[in-house]
Amino acid sequence: MHKKLFIPGPVDVREDVLLKMATPQIGHRGKAASALQRGISEKMKKVFQTENTIILSTSSGSGLMEAGIRCCTRKRAAVFSVGAFGDRWYKMAKANGVPADKISSVPGQPTTVAMVDEALATGKYDVITVTHNETSAGIMNPCGEIGELLKTKYPEVLYLVDTVSSMGGADIKVDQWGIDVCITSTQKCLGLPAGMAICSVSERAIAAARQVENRGLYFDLVELYDYIQSKDHQYPSTPSLSHMFALDYQLDKMLAEGLEKRFARHIEMAEYVRAWGKKHFALFVEDEKYLSNTLTTMKNTKEISVGDLNKKLAERGFEISNGYGDLKDKTFRISHMADYTLDEVKELLRNIDEILGLE
Ligand SMILES: *Cc1c(COP(=O)(O)O)cnc(C)c1O
């Protein structure tokens, strides 16, 4: 039986969107491919709220995270981590021989403006990376405030942001916040199958990257950028056109829904799950200002077996997620992203209530 996935990615894909993956292939060097990719880029700029260049990558989001830190760091990167995905960015820097330091928050707490200010005051860094929405913890970091700090005090520092689990589900103002490289992937708030990543790159990020000697090739942001500019949105290697057909269609649907409405729907679902979480358990993130709009992490205060709960949910056609890493049994997570509706979220929680005997 199909299980509706309330895990934080991959999420369920609506059938009409999924079927677009089966569109007959086209040549990736023809005019039709250019038109498809140009159209995606124009629509994606609206979702990203940016005038920067959009780059598509046939990889998951991690590919472009690695590209970002490797291509943009000339001196040293300050990697701010509030959980597993911040840690991953640091590992990528190390694995590529990119000089970097990791600055971690206390578990459950955000990356603050003060932390960024303190690190940048040392003058050691020319790049910072921040996780906008940390999927292990359910934290949404104050990326707008951090961007404001950079603009006023450290305008030369490049700002790289992981929005893998929030772009398309939360209001992210790439240009207003001054984000130089903003990264996402298809299988979370965009509501598509995994396999394609998307980022926006600023002109100054590309100019900085040109000064970096070893940028790799497949994930070289300069190579991708130059190719897009000179070859009308085409790519150096064969992209997943299947994803592009579905993405183009999904972007039309998202823009037809209206971005403001889409973001409001995510907040509505988040508020419902939080209220449920507070009534029966507790929320992992205590300061409500930093709660994620796209997934909620509950503290497992009733010490339920999430494995057993998921077995029973599976019989009813649902799946939620246990905690990530160290938090495996101490927390559990429910996603409310992409195309889900409040009614579907209510249906999930009603089923959990029945299984656990909650009133
Ligand atoms: C899922 C996720 C990633 C990893 O993305 P992939 O597309 O799986 O490579 C990175 N960061 C965050 C915040 C995520 O939620």
Side-chain angles (χ1 to χ4, degrees):
M1 180 168 81
H2 171 69
K3 284 182 281 177
K4 197 177 267 183
L5 300 178
F6 285 92
I7 60 176
V11 295
D12 255 29
V13 181
R14 295 296 188 210
E15 201 178 348
D16 54 337
V17 179
L18 199 52
L19 285 172
K20 288 287 167 188
M21 295 282 288
T23 306
Q25 295 293 293
I26 57 173
H28 68 302
R29 294 281 170 245
K31 284 209 171 79
S34 281
L36 176 65
Q37 289 156 181
R38 196 184 326 113
I40 290 171
S41 161
E42 278 160 15
K43 293 167 203 171
M44 199 59 92
K45 282 183 182 176
K46 295 186 181 147
V47 178
F48 275 61
Q49 305 182 54
T50 188
E51 294 300 324
N52 287 340
T53 298
I54 298 289
I55 294 176
L56 305 175
S57 167
T58 296
S59 66
S60 75
S62 300
L64 286 179
M65 287 170 70
E66 187 158 350
I69 200 156
R70 176 172 182 165
C71 295
C72 294
T73 311
R74 290 133 298 153
K75 205 160 67 175
R76 197 170 188 87
V79 177
F80 292 90
S81 177
V82 296
F85 292 106
D87 290 354
R88 180 179 290 186
W89 227 341
Y90 179 68
K91 280 188 205 142
M92 286 167 169
K94 291 282 116 181
N96 282 285
V98 173
D101 294 313
K102 186 169 79 171
I103 298 140
S104 298
S105 300
V106 175
Q109 295 192 15
T111 298
T112 62
V113 174
M115 290 169 75
V116 178
D117 196 11
E118 190 186 332
L120 292 183
T122 63
K124 286 200 288 190
Y125 307 105
D126 56 3
V127 164
I128 70 161
T129 75
V130 178
T131 314
H132 176 244
N133 190 64
E134 174 55 62
T135 316
S136 58
I139 291 180
M140 204 166 248
N141 275 316
C143 284
E145 292 171 23
I146 293 167
E148 213 40 57
L149 170 78
L150 296 191
K151 266 193 227 164
T152 50
K153 260 181 108 172
Y154 308 100
E156 72 292 349
V157 174
L158 292 179
Y159 189 17
L160 277 50
V161 182
D162 169 355
T163 63
V164 170
S165 61
S166 47
M167 184 61 79
D171 190 9
I172 299 166
K173 301 180 191 314
V174 169
D175 286 356
Q176 194 177 317
W177 298 357
I179 301 174
D180 290 286
V181 181
C182 188
I183 299 154
T184 195
S185 42
T186 44
Q187 77 278 16
K188 298 195 181 163
C189 298
L190 295 174
L192 295 152
M196 181 150 283
I198 304 106
C199 74
S200 65
V201 289
S202 67
E203 295 292 328
R204 66 186 202 138
I206 294 300
R210 290 192 200 279
Q211 298 162 25
V212 174
E213 194 181 352
N214 292 308
R215 302 186 300 262
L217 191 69
Y218 187 73
F219 288 117
D220 177 8
L221 293 179
V222 175
E223 168 95 354
L224 291 160
Y225 177 89
D226 286 346
Y227 214 95
I228 289 169
Q229 302 294 328
S230 64
K231 302 259 166 57
D232 191 5
H233 294 84
Q234 291 187 8
Y235 287 86
S237 47
T238 322
S240 172
L241 293 151
S242 305
H243 276 90
M244 289 177 177
F245 292 127
L247 181 55
D248 188 44
Y249 176 81
Q250 173 71 340
L251 284 166
D252 284 338
K253 284 187 72 172
M254 285 172 58
L255 295 172
E257 177 183 12
L259 292 175
E260 270 172 34
K261 273 200 188 146
R262 191 175 175 88
F263 303 150
R265 176 167 55 76
H266 279 78
I267 292 171
E268 192 181 35
M269 294 191 290
E271 284 174 345
Y272 194 88
V273 175
R274 288 171 198 161
W276 177 88
K278 281 196 272 192
K279 183 169 170 211
H280 299 297
F281 295 91
L283 304 184
F284 180 65
V285 176
E286 280 162 14
D287 188 341
E288 303 222 348
K289 187 176 168 216
Y290 302 111
L291 282 170
S292 164
N293 293 343
T294 64
L295 81 143
T296 302
T297 302
M298 254 66 65
K299 267 192 206 158
N300 188 2
T301 49
K302 288 190 163 55
E303 295 186 12
I304 58 162
S305 159
V306 180
D308 287 350
L309 171 60
N310 250 337
K311 269 184 214 137
K312 296 201 180 106
L313 278 173
E315 292 164 11
R316 297 164 180 241
F318 301 96
E319 183 174 340
I320 62 165
S321 187
N322 53 18
Y324 196 102
D326 302 343
L327 300 171
K328 190 168 183 285
D329 297 310
K330 295 192 190 120
T331 64
F332 64 94
R333 297 173 296 162
I334 294 175
S335 83
H336 28 80
M337 55 173 78
D339 297 327
Y340 294 147
T341 61
L342 183 60
D343 283 345
E344 288 171 300
V345 168
K346 284 182 179 169
E347 191 192 4
L348 168 75
L349 296 182
R350 201 160 50 234
N351 276 278
I352 298 180
D353 286 348
E354 275 175 30
I355 292 166
L356 297 179
L358 304 174
E359 306 250 319

